[in-house]
Amino acid sequence: MDSLVRTMRIIWRAELLIIEAKLNVATKRIGSMAFAGLIFVFGLGMLNVAGFFALEEGWGPVYAALGVAVADFLIATLLVVWGSRLSTGPELDLAREVRDAGLLELEAKAEHIQDEVDAVREELLTLKKGLLAFSRNPLDGTINALLTPILTLLIKSLTKGKG
């Protein structure tokens, strides 16, 4: 029973490691997305103003504004793509392997327990049949129970007398 509890604790810890790894990645993703948004807002404001003034003389006001906007959207897209590609790592795979091994061991122990329960069930059914037979005809059961030891003693005494 101790090994069953130990196996269940291992599975529980592996599940906690899996959840922790997923939460770490989710936290990093959310953080990178929020940071990307913050950079986008502040950088967009300052870069747009500077870029617009720099490009306005050569491109005119309309094309200067368009050039600055395209550059802003490109930077934001790159940050979103980078944040979405973050993944867990080898620790998640290891935690899954430990969990799966624990589940396999737990299944094997459950099958062993099921076999033991089946064996006890068979013994109880045999005992029940014996009790039913005894209750139907108690004299036969008593005679068999008494006759076997008496015959054994008789046979032993006869063989000792010959030797």
Side-chain angles (χ1 to χ4, degrees):
M1 189 60 120
D2 291 336
S3 63
L4 183 67
V5 172
R6 181 183 56 80
T7 303
M8 291 180 76
R9 284 183 182 166
I10 289 171
I11 292 170
W12 177 255
R13 288 179 183 160
E15 286 295 328
L16 287 178
L17 287 174
I18 291 169
I19 291 169
E20 184 179 346
K22 286 182 178 182
L23 282 176
N24 284 340
V25 169
T27 303
K28 289 177 184 177
R29 281 183 181 167
I30 290 170
S32 70
M33 294 295 175
F35 190 62
L38 185 65
I39 289 175
F40 181 77
V41 169
F42 290 128
L44 183 64
M46 294 306 291
L47 188 61
N48 287 347
V49 171
F52 179 77
F53 285 137
L55 296 175
E56 183 181 21
E57 291 180 25
W59 291 5
V62 174
Y63 290 114
L66 182 63
V68 170
V70 167
D72 290 337
F73 290 135
L74 219 114
I75 292 170
T77 303
L78 290 175
L79 286 171
V80 167
V81 167
W82 174 77
S84 66
R85 290 192 177 175
L86 287 176
S87 64
T88 55
E91 66 272 359
L92 181 62
D93 294 333
L94 178 62
R96 283 185 177 150
E97 287 177 20
V98 169
R99 178 198 59 193
D100 293 343
L103 286 173
L104 287 175
E105 185 177 340
L106 193 60
E107 287 175 9
K109 288 180 183 184
E111 288 175 7
H112 178 68
I113 290 171
Q114 182 64 39
D115 292 342
E116 288 179 4
V117 168
D118 289 342
V120 169
R121 181 177 174 265
E122 290 299 320
E123 289 177 18
L124 288 174
L125 287 174
T126 304
L127 181 63
K128 177 184 172 185
K129 288 177 185 176
L131 288 173
L132 283 175
F134 178 75
S135 67
R136 290 188 185 137
N137 196 351
L139 189 56
D140 285 345
T142 306
I143 290 173
N144 287 337
L146 291 175
L147 194 57
T148 304
I150 291 172
L151 287 175
T152 305
L153 286 174
L154 185 62
I155 291 170
K156 284 183 181 180
S157 66
L158 289 175
T159 56
K160 284 184 183 179
K162 290 182 181 179

